[in-house]
Amino acid sequence: MSYYDKLKKQDSQRKLLAFDGGGIRGIISIEIIAQIEDELRKSSGKPKLVLADYFDYVAGTSTGAIIATLIALGYSADKIRDFYLKSGAEMFEKARLWERFKTKFRNDNLSVMLQDVIGKETVFGSEKLRTLLMIVLRNATTDSPWPLSNNPNAKFNLPGTPGKNTDLALWQLVRASTAAPTYFPPEIIKVEPHEFIFVDGGVTMYNDPAFQLFLMATAEPYRLCWPTGEEKMLLISIGTGASPNANANLSPEEMDLLYNAGTVPGALMSAALHEQDFLCRIFGKCLAGEALDEELETVIGKGIPNVPKLFTYARYNAELSREGLDALGLTSINPAHVQQMDSVEYIGEMQQVGKAVAKQKVSAVHFAGFPA
């Protein structure tokens, strides 16, 4: 089966799955999908079911692009977990001393690992992909976000298009999506007739790509136009943990150039995550999700009066503060260990977070209206 079969299927229901960015914290997302996969195997009676059998369209940004791609290739949650556990330390191997004024980690290790697990010759339009796939990059050359899809009807995938996206190397697109500034070097990709510099898609509005995924599945300019409705479309969004950087003792004198350079990008990414999630909860029928803030709360059961819901939605994420970890029953975990994107030495504790979120928040009820 390939994603072309997904395009041809007669079933009126469509299922979408989106993954946030977050570095090695992607292991939190993997433990959550392991629980989802287990629930779907039980409810369907198919013990070998993988998420590519269930979902039609999968999306990811940064580390989420790795997870989404492996799902689209038909990997089980167990195999994706194995890849992260075996490769995590190598992904985040320190750059050589003379390289560290540009980047924190080496590029070549990650590139080789992605080529091995995805296939060096596998292109974005390969029929090895069993679902439609969307990957978010940021084109630094044009200063614009690039959410790319393998939808064969998309404008830049049509036959005869010079440098069409589906001819690009899949591993390289994923590598570009993970090129977090200061962490990894940028990725140069030739898109005929141009050569562009790409960096992490997390440095865009789509570090949580869920609402953009919905638009790419339904809006006319993207040329897929799947039907909408709370009984026709399911959208599952999975985070890598929220890590607020509140400082009750902040003084105006501290807010110099260095302070703003270090905190503003994270603040913008956090606001983007919040907005994407909020849009999904307002326009979708929200079944699960933590409180967004004290005014909005969870938005479950709420929306815009007299406007029908366009899809069914669930958001699974963890609050990595002391209070959030305590609420998950993880009183022994130090928040500082699980908040950083490159804390490979604490990957075991991140797994505990993911398992706790999965146990507490994932429910078969959320998928009941969309059988496998």
Side-chain angles (χ1 to χ4, degrees):
M1 179 180 289
S2 80
Y3 65 95
Y4 282 95
D5 298 293
K6 301 282 189 181
L7 291 169
K8 296 175 193 173
K9 77 172 191 174
Q10 299 301 310
D11 187 352
S12 62
Q13 290 188 321
R14 293 293 182 174
K15 303 150 191 167
L16 317 179
L17 177 63
F19 294 94
D20 294 7
I24 200 63
R25 294 202 323 245
I27 196 71
I28 295 173
S29 303
I30 293 168
E31 295 302 339
I32 294 170
I33 63 168
Q35 181 71 26
I36 294 173
E37 189 178 75
D38 186 58
E39 294 288 350
L40 293 173
R41 286 175 174 180
K42 290 175 184 175
S43 64
S44 68
K46 301 173 184 176
K48 294 185 179 180
L49 177 145
V50 293
L51 296 178
D53 298 325
Y54 183 78
F55 289 98
D56 302 297
Y57 205 160
V58 185
T61 302
S62 195
T63 196
I66 300 176
I67 299 170
T69 298
L70 296 184
I71 286 173
L73 286 168
Y75 281 71
S76 67
D78 284 346
K79 288 185 177 179
I80 299 172
R81 181 196 293 116
D82 287 345
F83 173 73
Y84 267 71
L85 294 179
K86 291 176 182 176
S87 307
E90 293 180 55
M91 282 187 201
F92 292 92
E93 183 177 347
K94 297 288 186 183
R96 301 170 185 92
L97 285 174
W98 59 88
E99 297 172 330
R100 292 185 192 176
F101 71 96
K102 286 186 176 181
T103 181
K104 191 174 181 180
F105 301 106
R106 295 181 61 172
N107 166 47
D108 45 359
N109 284 0
L110 180 57
S111 295
V112 169
M113 287 185 290
L114 290 175
Q115 289 173 37
D116 287 344
V117 73
I118 293 171
K120 189 173 182 179
E121 306 302 322
T122 302
V123 295
F124 195 30
S126 171
E127 293 196 38
K128 290 180 183 178
L129 292 164
R130 294 169 56 178
T131 73
L132 286 168
L133 175 64
M134 188 262 275
I135 297 173
V136 182
L137 301 77
R138 178 176 175 267
N139 188 327
T141 305
T142 63
D143 193 22
S144 57
W146 275 34
L148 301 183
S149 167
N150 64 344
N151 170 18
N153 299 315
K155 180 177 180 179
F156 295 107
N157 293 340
L158 296 175
T161 302
K164 63 179 182 174
N165 294 333
T166 45
D167 287 340
L168 300 174
L170 179 55
W171 75 265
Q172 198 171 21
L173 295 178
V174 175
R175 163 67 186 82
S177 184
T178 63
T182 74
Y183 283 85
F184 293 102
E187 185 75 12
I188 299 172
I189 301 178
K190 189 164 189 177
V191 184
E192 294 289 350
H194 306 287
E195 194 169 74
F196 295 118
I197 299 172
F198 290 97
V199 295
D200 191 341
V203 196
T204 69
M205 277 293 292
Y206 312 125
N207 194 39
D208 171 356
F211 195 71
Q212 179 64 18
L213 174 61
F214 163 72
L215 293 175
M216 293 182 79
T218 59
E220 287 184 345
Y222 295 113
R223 305 182 182 187
L224 199 54
C225 299
W226 284 348
T228 62
E230 64 181 71
E231 296 178 353
K232 294 181 179 180
M233 180 167 285
L234 174 68
L235 173 57
I236 302 295
S237 175
I238 301 179
T240 59
S243 180
N245 190 28
N247 184 355
N249 299 314
L250 180 66
S251 68
E253 289 75 22
E254 293 178 72
M255 300 180 67
D256 55 17
L257 288 174
L258 287 176
Y259 173 88
N260 284 301
T263 60
V264 168
L268 293 174
M269 290 171 67
S270 177
L273 282 168
H274 181 284
E275 184 70 6
Q276 293 292 309
D277 189 13
F278 179 50
L279 288 171
C280 287
R281 298 190 196 204
I282 286 293
F283 289 102
K285 178 184 177 182
C286 185
L287 302 180
E290 295 297 295
L292 292 169
D293 60 38
E294 292 184 0
E295 180 177 17
L296 298 174
E297 299 180 332
T298 66
V299 195
I300 293 174
K302 299 177 183 177
I304 300 173
N306 303 316
V307 175
K309 296 294 188 178
L310 299 175
F311 50 92
T312 293
Y313 175 71
R315 169 74 170 172
Y316 305 126
N317 202 14
E319 174 65 68
L320 301 179
S321 64
R322 176 73 276 153
E323 295 79 7
L325 293 173
D326 288 349
L328 290 170
L330 303 174
T331 56
S332 64
I333 291 181
N334 183 341
H337 291 178
V338 295
Q339 290 178 350
Q340 302 304 312
M341 294 194 299
D342 57 348
S343 295
V344 179
E345 63 269 35
Y346 300 114
I347 194 169
E349 293 185 17
M350 294 179 189
Q351 280 188 275
Q352 291 181 54
V353 173
K355 289 176 180 178
V357 172
K359 182 178 179 180
Q360 189 177 104
K361 301 178 183 181
V362 175
S363 170
V365 174
H366 301 161
F367 302 87
F370 298 84

